[in-house]
Amino acid sequence: MNSAADLFNTETWHILKQEQERSNSQRIARQRKKRELMESLQAQLADAGISMDEFIQTSMGSASDA
């Protein structure tokens, strides 16, 4: 039979494990979303005949003008 401390530690471990898994899932979802957005941006730039380097240089210039 588990003592109260053992039970608490086991439950705490499971809660922490679930939180870690949830956090990892959220991180993976954010990474996936960033990758999808980047791929979409690259495709739109390619369709417009703009290289990624040109886009970055223009964006950086606009940011410094603000």
Side-chain angles (χ1 to χ4, degrees), residues 2-63:
N2 288 341
S3 69
D6 290 340
L7 183 58
F8 175 79
N9 287 337
T10 300
E11 289 180 12
T12 301
W13 182 86
H14 284 291
I15 291 169
L16 291 173
K17 186 72 173 165
Q18 287 175 341
E19 180 61 27
Q20 181 183 31
E21 290 171 358
R22 187 179 64 77
S23 180
N24 285 342
S25 294
Q26 290 175 339
R27 180 183 50 79
I28 291 167
R30 285 191 304 272
Q31 289 173 340
R32 183 180 307 120
K33 184 65 175 178
K34 287 178 189 176
R35 185 176 59 249
E36 290 169 355
L37 289 171
M38 185 58 90
E39 290 170 354
S40 175
L41 175 60
Q42 289 173 335
Q44 291 176 40
L45 290 172
D47 289 346
I50 302 169
S51 73
M52 186 58 93
D53 288 337
E54 290 174 309
F55 175 74
I56 292 171
Q57 288 174 353
T58 302
S59 298
M60 292 250 201
S62 298

